[in-house]
Amino acid sequence: MFNTKELKDFMAQTPVPESELLPEVPAGSQNPVLSDLWQPEENSQAARPTALEDRLCELGHISSEQMEQARSIHRKTPRKRLGQILLEMGVISEANLMACLAEQYGVPFVRVTRDQMDMKVFGLLDKLYMEQHQIIPLGLEGDKLVVATTDPTNVFLLDEVKRKTGKPLAVRICPSEDIKTILQDLNAADSGTDYQVDDIIKNIEENDVEVVDTEDEDIADMERIAGESPIIKFVNYIIFNAVKEGASDIHIEPGDKKLRLRYRIDGVLFETVNPPYNMHAPIVSRIKIMANLDIAERRLPQDGRIRVSIHGRNVDMRVSTLPSSHGEKVVIRILDTGTTKRSMTDLGFDPNTLEILNHQIHQPHGIILVTGPTGSGKSTTLYSALRTMDIRSLNVSTVEDPVEYQLEGITQVQVHERIGMTFSAALRSLLRQDPDVIMVGEIRDAETARIAVQASLTGHLVLSTLHTNDAPSSITRLINIGIESYLIAASTNAVLAQRLVRKICPHCKQPYEPKPEEAGYMEMFGFNRDNLFHGAGCEHCRHTGYQGRIGLYELLVIDDKYRDVITGNPNVTELRRMCKERGMTTLREDGFNKVRSGMTTIDEVMRVTECTI
């Protein structure tokens, strides 16, 4: 080893020419050390046409007010990128942000699915490396390796990938959620969690099943306990398969010597494998153990919660048991935390409706109601609205029954009616906590409604849900509950009614000739016969023609004209007709607009809406 003096003498005796340390760079040219790593493709725009924030506003992804708010936060936290701040505010989707960044950097933007990947090149990089660095190989383009990444400016990462694979790179930019989904799918395929259901059922006898009554059982890691017993393995399969299929609910329904298992996917129930009837009691007992319920109690309904881990992904579930004439029916609600992270722009709002709703959400006081039946996406809309608020400067609190999703930076209160912690009691306490925004899970009675109205009149913004069929009906429902009409007129800012319809599967989408019964609706709403689409059915959509869901919305903004009418205690028919005459877009009209744009079908719109005017 050299000491300091010897090292100086050595460097003096053997000087290194400066030309060998850094190649000579001609005037006006790029640094060859960086340009050799990656360059924009010839047909891409290397120069940024405008600043990112100006382009986002120009495309209508965010408003100028939202951008100014993001800039203000950026000035206080300069280490954070502006795009990261916008995502944390929930005002823009990652896909829209990435598409804009791609335009700025002159890099092609792509949405990546497993079907687009060439598995021959996938093994060139380690899965853990891809997960840590958010980069994934897609295939070959001539002699170049096509890679998708969330940050095409990280030349050091691209250089490392180039060295690891031994190939020049063609770079694409894509959202992190696409990379995460692909890696999760591939991890699931490689994990060996492939349950042979027929073998499980075939080898099970009633005497083979023994339910162990222990409260200390660790049920968090499903893979670890998958092989402990046939019943445990089968219950794990039920849950694992439901999450894999994207189900929102699991129904375990006993019949007369028959046990039926169904998943609710995109709002519709599908029957899956039906186990033997003698498995019913052990399955229910196993689920009760997981949810910390009383196994011995079979005469009363019970409610519980389960948290499991599937390939490192935490999944929360609500369990409800109900005694029936043939035994206990169990329904498990799967709570997907991914839905709470969706921005308002991803929910299917018309741009005009979204702009008006965003304006209402940022009002200092008043009531905003979201209405619709159970499972129509009301909670998702409210959570997305809360995510757009500046929680750094606002005190935001919620009262829920139950608290379904955890929101960072927000105080969430669980209702416990058995001990007197009702919606109204929780609201009274919250009003002594200096709140700015209060979300009430549901207005169920006159007392809760009255406190919510008083809170809005005393300078608080209140968001809540109500079970009505459309927006105008919410006003008359509050009157029927017992709230004075003049208080409703003074406190209510807006009412949003919504439904969820299934989207046409993009993999099998094709034009079609309308059925005779659809002709009348087409003439009424001005459809073009050549612009109708449906899904033919494929493996991706379980041959239903639909994949995923999107919202239909009906927004009623209460202005001075409506306040005068509401004070006069109108009936719902008069109020609905007035709303229509003043230009309110109804649920059905919004649905037909989405049919015109090729998102869904006439059948779906007719299924979830009713003609009320």
Side-chain angles (χ1 to χ4, degrees), residues 361-421:
I361 289 170
H362 291 89
Q363 292 299 305
H365 55 78
I367 295 179
I368 298 175
L369 294 173
V370 181
T371 77
T374 301
S376 60
K378 300 187 298 295
S379 296
T380 299
T381 300
L382 287 178
Y383 281 128
S384 298
L386 292 179
R387 282 172 53 83
T388 66
M389 298 178 180
D390 183 10
I391 59 175
R392 296 175 179 84
S393 60
L394 295 175
N395 178 12
V396 182
S397 303
T398 73
V399 183
E400 304 172 64
D401 183 22
V403 175
E404 295 186 351
Y405 304 103
Q406 299 295 329
L407 297 177
E408 187 177 353
I410 293 176
T411 303
Q412 296 176 267
V413 179
Q414 170 75 53
V415 169
H416 294 284
E417 294 193 358
R418 292 182 181 178
I419 61 173
M421 187 63 165

Side-chain angles (χ1 to χ4, degrees), residues 579-599:
C579 294
K580 185 74 171 68
E581 289 172 352
R582 299 192 70 202
M584 183 189 75
T585 301
T586 65
L587 287 166
R588 180 163 287 187
E589 288 171 345
D590 188 43
F592 284 134
N593 288 337
K594 288 181 169 63
V595 172
R596 286 193 193 91
S597 60
M599 296 182 186

Side-chain angles (χ1 to χ4, degrees), residues 52 257 317 326 436 440 445 485-486 572 610:
L52 173 63
K257 300 301 178 184
M317 293 177 287
H326 296 293
D436 296 298
V440 184
D445 52 46
S485 58
Y486 70 91
V572 67
E610 60 178 351

Side-chain angles (χ1 to χ4, degrees), residues 242-258:
V243 173
K244 179 183 175 184
E245 293 287 334
S248 61
D249 299 89
I250 304 171
H251 289 242
I252 301 171
E253 304 166 326
D256 186 13
K257 300 301 178 184
K258 179 183 178 182

Side-chain angles (χ1 to χ4, degrees), residues 299-355:
R299 300 166 300 171
L300 296 174
Q302 297 187 67
D303 296 302
R305 296 180 74 99
I306 301 174
R307 168 168 283 192
V308 297
S309 175
I310 301 178
H311 303 306
R313 171 188 173 190
N314 290 330
V315 178
D316 289 328
M317 293 177 287
R318 285 187 359 221
V319 179
S320 173
T321 67
L322 180 69
S324 70
S325 57
H326 296 293
E328 287 182 284
K329 176 181 176 179
V330 178
V331 175
I332 302 175
R333 167 67 59 88
I334 300 172
L335 304 175
D336 184 3
T337 56
T339 60
T340 66
K341 299 179 181 179
R342 300 178 66 183
S343 67
M344 299 287 286
T345 55
D346 294 332
L347 299 181
F349 284 100
D350 173 84
N352 292 332
T353 303
L354 181 58
E355 183 179 355

